């Protein structure tokens, strides 16, 4: 992986880390469920008008949209609106990694190496530490659980994305965005009510309203279109195991930026838990990449050996 590609991967991590601050700014103006509908509607309209449908099964587009789009952000926005700090949200959402592995083992019969499972257990232990630190009251523990539910939704989306075997990740991302708007709008009208939704459009010219709009634009344009586009481009040109670990910079950026701009502080226990999560997810990712390289090398070696045997057999026949 070239130095230029490393810089691009790090820049995406920065974009995604700052995205949690942008979400927090938008939630100061818009109710959470409606904000999810609004976010994806801004992506769905241009997708339907200008982006050709990717060549994948419709069920995988729907599954990806329901998991990655609807469930992840429904619970993430709900958690942040209920008091989950932006920095910690960027960390706890990394539980999607272990959840994805567990779902792959359960439904796809994917094999996990013992060393990889050890690192996953370290990451889960880190999440348990963070959860224990948030267990001082329901007001702080409930948002933690909601964020975990968002991470599980992301994992479901990962499995559907993987099963789609798409060679057009940008198109798939755009078309995935078509799924969440209408269900989320219906949920918003039922739970948050038309009055609250309508009231969120008043005061958009105030500092709070302008920051909320800026946060929404950042989430749609910078974090989703630009960030995901660069990430997909890097994934198509480099081994996944080399690119993926850069995502562990996301909670580092998110927690640091939340401290600088919002004054968010975390306890020593939460910092220890964060370190375990980062070490666990990063280690599991590297072990998975190593296992994939070994498997690929074995698959290449088998045909070569078979060809050699066939060649030897042919020579023997000719000699006889």
């Amino acid at each position: 992986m070239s130095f230029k590609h490393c810089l691009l991967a790090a820049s995406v991590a920065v974009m995604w880390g700052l995205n949690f601050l942008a979400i927090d700014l938008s939630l100061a103006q818009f109710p959470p469920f409606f904000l999810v509908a609004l976010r994806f509607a801004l992506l769905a309209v241009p997708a339907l008008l200008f982006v050709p449908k990717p060549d994948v099964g419709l069920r995988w587009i729907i599954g990806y949209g329901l998991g990655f789009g609807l469930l992840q952000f429904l619970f993430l926005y709900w958690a942040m609106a209920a008091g989950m700090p932006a920095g910690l949200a960027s960390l706890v959402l990394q539980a999607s990694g272990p959840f994805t592995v567990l779902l792959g083992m359960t439904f796809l019969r994917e094999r996990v190496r013992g060393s990889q499972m050890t690192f996953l257990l370290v990451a889960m232990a880190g999440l348990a530490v963070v959860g224990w630190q948030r267990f001082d009251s329901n007001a702080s523990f409930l948002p933690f659980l909601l964020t975990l539910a968002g991470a599980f939704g992301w994992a479901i989306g990962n499995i559907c994305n993987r099963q789609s075997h798409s060679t057009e990740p940008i198109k798939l991302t755009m078309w995935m965005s078509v799924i969440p708007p209408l269900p989320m709008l219906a949920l918003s009208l039922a739970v948050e009510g038309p009055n609250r939704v309508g009231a969120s459009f008043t005061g958009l010219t105030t500092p709070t309203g302008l920051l909320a709009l800026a946060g929404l634009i950042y989430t749609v344009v910078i974090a989703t279109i630009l960030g995901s586009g660069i990430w997909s481009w890097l994934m198509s040109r480099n081994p996944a195991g080399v690119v993926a670990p850069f995502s562990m910079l996301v909670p580092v950026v998110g927690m640091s930026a939340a401290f600088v701009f919002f004054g968010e502080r975390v306890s020593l226990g939460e910092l220890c838990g964060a370190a375990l999560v980062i070490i666990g997810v990063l280690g599991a990712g590297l072990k998975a990449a190593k296992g994939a390289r070994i498997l690929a090398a074995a698959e290449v070696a088998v045909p070569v050996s078979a060809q050699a045997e066939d060649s030897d057999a042919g020579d023997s026949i000719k000699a006889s």
Side-chain angles (χ1 to χ4, degrees):
M1 188 170 177
S2 67
F3 180 70
K4 175 184 176 181
H5 286 190
C6 288
L7 288 179
L8 285 174
S11 71
V12 174
V14 173
M15 294 178 201
W16 287 348
L18 295 177
N19 185 47
F20 289 87
L21 278 67
I23 293 172
D24 196 74
L25 292 175
S26 297
L27 286 170
Q29 180 73 24
F30 300 103
F33 298 162
F34 179 69
L35 183 58
V36 177
L38 188 59
R39 166 184 177 161
F40 283 103
L42 293 176
L43 291 167
V45 172
L48 290 172
L49 293 177
F50 305 112
V51 180
K53 177 182 173 296
D55 187 21
V56 300
L58 182 61
R59 60 175 177 169
W60 301 124
I61 296 177
I62 294 175
Y64 189 29
L66 289 176
F68 181 87
L70 193 150
L71 292 177
Q72 177 187 188
F73 291 104
L74 183 160
F75 287 112
L76 174 62
Y77 282 35
W78 184 4
M80 294 181 66
M84 186 68 176
L88 276 180
S90 69
L91 169 72
V92 176
L93 206 63
Q94 297 301 315
S96 63
F99 285 152
T100 300
V101 173
L102 293 176
L103 289 178
M105 292 172 57
T106 304
F107 296 102
L108 305 182
R109 298 295 188 267
E110 293 182 347
R111 297 179 61 183
V112 178
R113 306 173 69 196
S115 56
Q116 185 184 358
M117 181 57 69
T118 300
F119 277 110
L120 289 174
L121 291 175
V122 170
M124 299 305 291
L127 288 170
V129 171
V130 174
W132 179 259
Q133 295 294 309
R134 310 294 299 176
F135 196 63
D136 55 348
S137 68
N138 289 333
S140 59
F141 188 61
L142 177 60
F144 170 79
L145 293 179
L146 292 173
T147 309
L148 277 182
F152 189 74
W154 186 358
I156 294 174
N158 285 340
I159 296 297
C160 293
N161 188 357
R162 183 181 303 172
Q163 290 298 97
S164 72
H165 302 294
S166 175
T167 58
E168 304 169 306
I170 303 300
K171 290 182 181 179
L172 180 59
T173 298
M174 293 299 292
W175 271 78
M176 170 276 297
S177 303
V178 175
I179 306 303
L182 291 180
M184 288 305 307
L185 179 60
L187 182 63
S188 174
L189 292 175
V191 176
E192 296 163 342
N195 292 335
R196 187 179 176 191
V197 170
S200 66
F201 285 97
T202 62
L204 289 179
T205 57
T206 64
T208 299
L210 292 174
L211 286 174
L213 291 176
L216 180 60
I217 293 172
Y218 182 95
T219 299
V220 173
V221 177
I222 304 298
T224 303
I225 298 177
L226 184 59
S228 298
I230 295 175
W231 191 261
S232 298
W233 184 84
L234 290 171
M235 282 287 196
S236 67
R237 286 161 174 78
N238 298 278
V242 176
V243 180
F246 279 88
S247 67
M248 291 315 303
L249 293 175
V250 173
V252 176
V253 174
M255 297 179 75
S256 300
F259 171 76
V260 172
F261 294 104
F262 293 164
E264 290 183 4
R265 297 182 180 275
V266 295
S267 67
L268 179 60
E270 288 171 337
L271 284 176
C272 293
L276 289 175
V277 171
I278 293 173
I279 292 171
V281 176
L282 179 60
L286 293 175
K287 289 296 182 182
K290 181 179 179 181
R293 288 195 300 269
I294 294 174
L295 181 61
E299 290 176 348
V300 171
V302 169
V304 171
S305 300
Q307 290 177 5
E309 291 176 0
D310 292 342
S311 177
D312 292 342
D315 291 342
S316 299
I317 293 173
K318 290 178 181 179
S320 62

